[in-house]
Amino acid sequence: MTPIDLRSDTVTKPTAEMREVIARAEVGDDVFGEDPTVNALQDKVARMLGKEAALFVSSGTMGNQLAIRCHTEPGDEVICEENSHSFNYEGGGPASLSNVQLRPLPGLRGVITEAQIQAAVRPPDDHFPRTSLVIVENTHNRASGAIFPLAELQRISAYTRSHGLKLHMDGARLWNAHIATGIPLHEYGALVDSVTVCLSKGLGAPVGSVVAGTRDFISKAHRFRKMWGGGMRQVGLLAAAGIYAIDHHLQRLQEDHRRARRLGETFARFEGVAVDMEATQTNIMIADVAKAGLKAPDLVVKMKESGVLCIAFSPTRLRMVTHLQLSDADIDRTIEVIEEVLLASGLHPKYGDN
Ligand code: TLP
């Protein structure tokens, strides 16, 4: 039997309709700027985000790293949140590709505040690195898909603008924040200097991300993308999948959000299991089993034996991510498996729940 795969929203495979669109895509050499489908995707995403221009890139990591490279000089310092993707999961890219150091600040549900940023910005002094960039993540992966509050983002944006700093948003799952809150994408876009969005996560395209910003920023990013070997040729095949994904898979993200909450509520019913339901606002659910004295990797193995795939995010935290290739029946079955595995691990439901 095919397992129910909740390891990430990156695991989706192109649907039959998407494959048809890919097959029909008009293409050209994108390094010459001649791929009409890539150009259409870039224009579409730039428009949606309210930015002047956009660039199709191979991955979210490349989008973020290009932004860091374009907004900084070697020796600069970049403020980010300590659990952010750029700090934890991009292979030390900022040090290697941009020769900058990161200054991770502790966040609450992935959110760093304007006050924290203000306190961390270095005064001008040749002893210090120069603070040039702030990165925020929306939604926040390691904070259970929490949405960055607009009001805090507005404060940060006003501060960075008035102090000559750049602000980049890792919006790998900004689509989810938009659907969950109803806040238009361009409202988020207007507050930041650049933003990366991913097509290959909740939207279900096989490959690709888009980074957006001013025309100058994008022409710089275009140069570094080429330098880093990321210039692709007849890549309209993939851009077509991205356009299809935006047109057909955006609104349905609310189903993923509803399903992630159901999973969170299931874990939260057990003694010793902590789920931050306030943070579980989109398609990521993280359950912490520290108080139950369990180990997340052991639970991952047990769930796998029952046909449910998920990942351990730390020795005690287990992550499940919902996506378009899961059905309500898959979620029902997952809930059964969670209950079986937790009961078999000696945990009890709270307040006599069953
Ligand atoms: N996240 C992946 C893993 O790398 C952890 C996942 O399964 O969630 N920003 C954020 C917030 C992300 O969650 C990811 C991917 C990226 C950037 C990078 O995207 P890719 O994988 O396309 O480089």
Side-chain angles (χ1 to χ4, degrees):
M1 223 175 64
T2 334
I4 300 171
D5 198 343
L6 293 141
R7 287 172 302 165
S8 183
D9 47 6
T10 59
V11 300
T12 57
K13 295 179 184 167
T15 60
E17 299 80 8
M18 190 183 276
R19 284 169 192 264
E20 275 176 33
V21 169
I22 292 172
R24 286 200 307 269
E26 261 189 74
V27 297
D29 191 327
D30 180 50
V31 171
F32 294 135
E34 289 173 2
D35 189 304
T37 313
V38 171
N39 292 339
L41 171 70
Q42 292 175 165
D43 290 349
K44 182 182 180 77
V45 175
R47 214 171 32 248
M48 291 175 91
L49 292 166
K51 303 311 269 180
E52 281 176 10
L55 188 68
F56 186 44
V57 293
S58 58
S59 66
T61 300
M62 182 174 272
N64 290 337
Q65 293 303 318
L66 283 171
I68 295 170
R69 184 66 189 80
C70 293
H71 289 313
T72 62
E73 295 295 333
D76 283 359
E77 187 164 77
V78 176
I79 294 176
C80 63
E81 196 273 333
E82 68 182 358
N83 280 304
S84 63
H85 195 276
S86 296
F87 181 53
N88 292 283
Y89 297 114
E90 297 183 14
S96 170
L97 300 167
S98 299
N99 300 301
V100 294
Q101 66 187 35
L102 296 187
R103 174 87 177 269
L105 305 179
L108 182 62
R109 298 199 172 100
V111 176
I112 47 176
T113 63
E114 183 250 6
Q116 280 178 293
I117 293 167
Q118 235 189 87
V121 168
R122 307 278 188 168
D125 179 320
D126 285 348
H127 290 83
F128 298 138
R130 194 182 67 120
T131 312
S132 51
L133 173 66
V134 176
I135 303 179
V136 292
E137 187 171 312
N138 190 18
T139 65
H140 196 290
N141 187 346
R142 281 181 70 85
S144 308
I147 296 164
F148 207 100
L150 191 65
E152 194 59 52
L153 191 63
Q154 284 163 338
R155 279 191 285 273
I156 294 172
S157 177
Y159 175 77
T160 52
R161 284 202 174 143
S162 57
H163 288 75
L165 304 177
K166 297 293 183 196
L167 180 59
H168 173 71
M169 180 182 281
D170 174 356
R173 298 186 179 84
L174 185 61
W175 313 105
N176 297 79
H178 158 61
I179 291 299
T181 59
I183 295 169
L185 290 163
H186 61 78
E187 207 165 320
Y188 285 118
L191 295 172
V192 297
D193 295 287
S194 57
V195 49
T196 303
V197 289
C198 292
L199 304 165
S200 60
K201 300 199 167 60
L203 293 186
V207 180
S209 295
V210 178
V211 60
T214 61
R215 254 180 228 105
D216 280 353
F217 167 84
I218 291 301
S219 75
K220 222 169 157 185
H222 189 267
R223 176 175 146 66
F224 286 114
R225 186 187 68 171
K226 189 78 187 78
M227 184 191 290
W228 294 350
M232 298 181 280
R233 302 290 177 174
Q234 286 72 25
V235 74
L237 298 178
L238 298 178
I243 293 173
Y244 179 90
I246 296 170
D247 290 344
H248 295 87
H249 296 160
L250 183 56
Q251 294 307 323
R252 62 152 306 286
L253 290 176
Q254 53 199 334
E255 278 180 41
D256 295 346
H257 301 171
R258 179 175 57 77
R259 289 170 177 162
R261 284 193 73 80
R262 286 187 66 203
L263 298 175
E265 283 157 5
T266 307
F267 275 103
R269 275 203 291 276
F270 282 82
E271 295 282 1
V273 182
V275 180
D276 185 346
M277 287 308 293
E278 231 179 284
T280 314
Q281 297 161 357
T282 55
N283 69 329
I284 298 178
M285 190 293 309
I286 295 175
D288 193 327
V289 293
K291 286 221 177 88
L294 298 180
K295 294 197 172 62
D298 296 344
L299 293 178
V300 168
V301 171
K302 287 185 187 153
M303 304 250 181
K304 189 175 177 185
E305 284 164 4
S306 300
V308 171
L309 305 183
C310 53
I311 62 172
F313 238 25
S314 80
T316 63
R317 297 168 88 225
L318 177 148
R319 183 184 81 159
M320 291 182 167
V321 186
T322 53
H323 55 75
L324 84 162
Q325 270 153 2
L326 298 169
S327 62
D328 277 325
D330 290 328
I331 301 300
D332 292 343
R333 174 63 194 144
T334 302
I335 287 172
E336 277 173 21
V337 170
I338 294 168
E339 289 172 346
E340 281 162 23
V341 167
L342 294 183
L343 287 170
S345 304
L347 299 196
H348 302 289
K350 287 175 189 161
Y351 323 121
D353 279 2
N354 53 37

